[in-house]
Amino acid sequence: MRTGIHFSLSATDRQRLEAIKAHPASPQKHVWRARIILLSDDGLGTSAIMAETGKSKTWVWRWQERFMKEGVDRLLREKTRPPGIPKTPDNKVSEVIRLTQKPPPHEATHWTLRAMAARVGFAASTVRAIWKAHGLSPHRWRQFKLSNDPAFAKKLRDVVGLYVVTSAHAVVLSVDEKSQIQALDRTQPGLPLRKGRGATMTHDYKRHGTTMLFAALNVLTGEVLGERTWHATATRSSFGSSMRSSAPCREARPSMSFSITTRRTNTPRSAPGWSAIRAGHFTLSRHRAHG
């Protein structure tokens, strides 16, 4: 053993070390340490222990010294070490969060990793970890729009009420329109997708005019009614007639009411489509949904 290191095993310690060495579930690092101490107690020198265990001289000396100071328990645990990367100070973390919640001083829409790292003197990975730990995503936005209609609350209750608490013997249709749909086509046909080559298409296109789409969802049955044409007036008229013909007639159910909710449609109530609906044998209650 090295100069200054000397110990002798008690019967209890030898029994524990032999058990560690023989147990099949013992970690190999514990087995090697136990063998070093057992061989040292048997009187083998450092070179012989190195040959038996395959470990270096510093490894043998290290565990001989630790066993001498703290016994068998020291062989079964690692030496505590400070973390390799020091913890980010709490005041710095608070500063990053505070700055993130405010607009950046430079001309930018939001903070970026590099801009924030340069501002607080951290690495970009540290800023990313702080943002992730606190659920911050400066590059993401959630859009919203509040209506300035004074009667918005009343209209909202009326429209939502049709879906939540529908009147008996009532048909509720949710109507929407998509206008000015461009009918585009490429100037030349492209090649299909092949192995090792993507599909192709020309960079330019030609227009074939615009079209308009009307659709209505029957809230109760899930049935969808739709009309498409090149003329807006003709669409409203024919679509109104289609809704009228699809609704159950009033003679079959005298108390039948017919409710329509529309969303961002410019169709006036005096248009031919609405006139065609009002001409039917049911009551029209038109609601405009804001959104």
Side-chain angles (χ1 to χ4, degrees):
M1 288 186 285
R2 190 181 65 178
T3 304
I5 299 177
H6 52 85
F7 57 82
S8 60
L9 283 177
S10 64
T12 303
D13 288 344
R14 174 170 283 276
Q15 185 178 3
R16 289 185 62 189
L17 293 175
E18 291 287 357
I20 294 172
K21 176 183 173 183
H23 200 287
S26 297
Q28 285 299 305
K29 58 183 179 181
H30 295 171
V31 174
W32 292 334
R33 297 167 190 174
R35 290 186 62 195
I36 290 174
I37 303 305
L38 291 172
L39 292 173
S40 300
D41 188 63
D42 292 339
L44 274 69
T46 301
S47 298
I49 296 175
M50 292 169 55
E52 286 287 337
T53 60
K55 301 301 177 183
S56 64
K57 182 185 297 184
T58 55
W59 180 286
V60 175
W61 287 349
R62 178 188 304 127
W63 290 106
Q64 286 177 344
E65 181 179 3
R66 293 180 181 178
F67 175 79
M68 180 188 68
K69 294 180 177 179
E70 303 181 47
V72 177
D73 293 336
R74 185 62 184 85
L75 303 179
L76 305 180
R77 57 183 174 84
E78 305 296 332
K79 185 177 180 180
T80 57
R81 298 180 178 86
I85 302 177
K87 180 183 177 182
T88 306
D90 293 339
N91 60 334
K92 285 291 187 179
V93 174
S94 300
E95 182 182 2
V96 172
I97 297 173
R98 180 181 60 83
L99 291 174
T100 304
Q101 294 175 339
K102 295 183 177 180
H106 55 284
E107 294 184 1
T109 58
H110 60 274
W111 284 101
T112 63
L113 282 174
R114 291 179 177 84
M116 180 60 73
R119 175 68 174 78
V120 298
F122 287 163
S125 58
T126 303
V127 176
R128 182 188 295 109
I130 295 174
W131 283 354
K132 182 178 181 181
H134 293 83
L136 299 176
S137 300
H139 63 286
R140 293 183 177 179
W141 295 84
R142 291 183 61 187
Q143 296 182 351
F144 72 96
K145 179 68 174 179
L146 298 179
S147 175
N148 55 6
D149 187 351
F152 175 73
K154 181 179 182 301
K155 295 178 180 179
L156 177 65
R157 287 192 294 267
D158 291 342
V159 173
V160 175
L162 290 174
Y163 296 94
V164 179
V165 185
T166 306
S167 303
H169 309 299
V171 175
V172 180
L173 297 180
S174 179
V175 182
D176 198 2
E177 76 172 78
K178 178 63 177 176
S179 60
Q180 301 298 318
I181 303 174
Q182 297 190 49
L184 304 179
D185 192 15
R186 296 292 165 178
T187 55
Q188 296 179 9
L191 297 175
L193 177 68
R194 295 290 180 86
K195 181 179 179 180
R197 187 196 68 191
T200 63
M201 65 178 179
T202 59
H203 70 280
D204 54 346
Y205 59 87
K206 55 185 177 181
R207 290 184 56 182
H208 296 282
T210 60
T211 184
M212 176 175 284
L213 175 65
F214 266 87
L217 170 68
N218 190 326
V219 177
L220 178 62
T221 64
E223 180 185 5
V224 177
L225 307 175
E227 290 277 344
R228 182 186 63 84
T229 185
W230 303 105
H231 303 287
T233 303
T235 302
R236 297 184 181 106
S237 178
S238 61
F239 186 61
S241 301
S242 299
M243 288 193 295
R244 174 191 172 191
S245 61
S246 63
C249 62
R250 189 156 187 162
E251 287 77 2
R253 293 185 177 179
S255 60
M256 175 70 68
S257 64
F258 191 77
S259 299
I260 297 176
T261 63
T262 63
R263 183 175 182 271
R264 289 197 298 267
T265 180
N266 298 322
T267 308
R269 295 192 63 172
S270 60
W274 300 117
S275 301
I277 295 176
R278 289 198 300 270
H281 299 288
F282 45 77
T283 303
L284 172 64
S285 177
R286 181 173 180 268
H287 303 272
R288 181 182 177 87
H290 294 261

